[in-house]
Amino acid sequence: KPQSSFGEQVMFLAHVSPSFPGKRDLPSMLIGALDEHFEVMHSSMRQTLVQALILLRNRNQFPCIRTLPLYFKLLGFSDKLLRKQIFAHIVKDISQMNTKSRSQNTNKELRDFFFVKMKEG
């Protein structure tokens, strides 16, 4: 079982990172850690890291397309609560992006990504 203080520190960093605009490598670190070690992580640690990524994404710290490959990788994992959380976030994130303004480039990137995923599976 993971240390709860590590999860608390990750969430603290996710909360305060928008206040430090020069330090934008937290999303990359979280994505890298999840991508490499998600299979051996405890389920609560996986959920905490995904929650931190969702918080950072909701604060526009990185583009949506950066986490989609990781999220689709995690959707194939056997953690039902994580799959439910990721699916809800993807749907909400894409719908919110299009309600604010319709960016043709972003929509094209998303469409291309989803077409590639459909061809794969």
Side-chain angles (χ1 to χ4, degrees):
K1 187 161 177 153
Q3 283 284 15
S4 64
S5 63
F6 177 71
E8 291 169 2
Q9 290 173 358
V10 167
M11 289 306 290
F12 172 76
L13 288 173
H15 278 282
V16 299
S17 71
S19 301
F20 301 98
K23 305 286 184 185
R24 298 232 178 205
D25 58 345
L26 182 62
S28 300
M29 291 171 54
L30 294 175
I31 291 169
L34 274 168
D35 196 30
E36 293 177 29
H37 306 292
F38 75 94
E39 294 169 327
V40 295
M41 278 185 190
H42 192 270
S43 64
S44 64
M45 184 54 57
R46 274 192 306 269
Q47 268 197 309
T48 300
L49 295 180
V50 168
Q51 284 173 347
L53 280 172
I54 289 171
L55 177 66
L56 290 167
R57 173 64 196 130
N58 288 343
R59 294 180 174 192
N60 263 342
Q61 296 297 303
F62 60 90
C64 172
I65 198 74
R66 274 185 61 193
T67 52
L68 282 178
L70 172 67
Y71 287 161
F72 271 78
K73 193 177 196 180
L74 292 173
L75 283 172
F77 202 62
S78 62
D79 190 344
K80 186 176 181 178
L81 291 174
L82 185 67
R83 287 195 314 258
K84 192 175 180 180
Q85 179 183 24
I86 289 171
F87 179 76
H89 170 66
I90 290 172
V91 170
K92 184 180 131 210
D93 193 25
I94 292 173
S95 64
Q96 279 183 345
M97 281 187 335
N98 283 318
T99 56
K100 294 176 185 173
S101 66
R102 292 184 187 257
S103 169
Q104 294 299 325
N105 285 342
T106 304
N107 283 336
K108 183 181 182 320
E109 287 177 355
L110 290 172
R111 186 177 57 239
D112 292 345
F113 175 79
F114 286 123
F115 279 143
V116 167
K117 284 298 177 185
M118 287 190 322
K119 285 180 183 177
E120 287 176 2

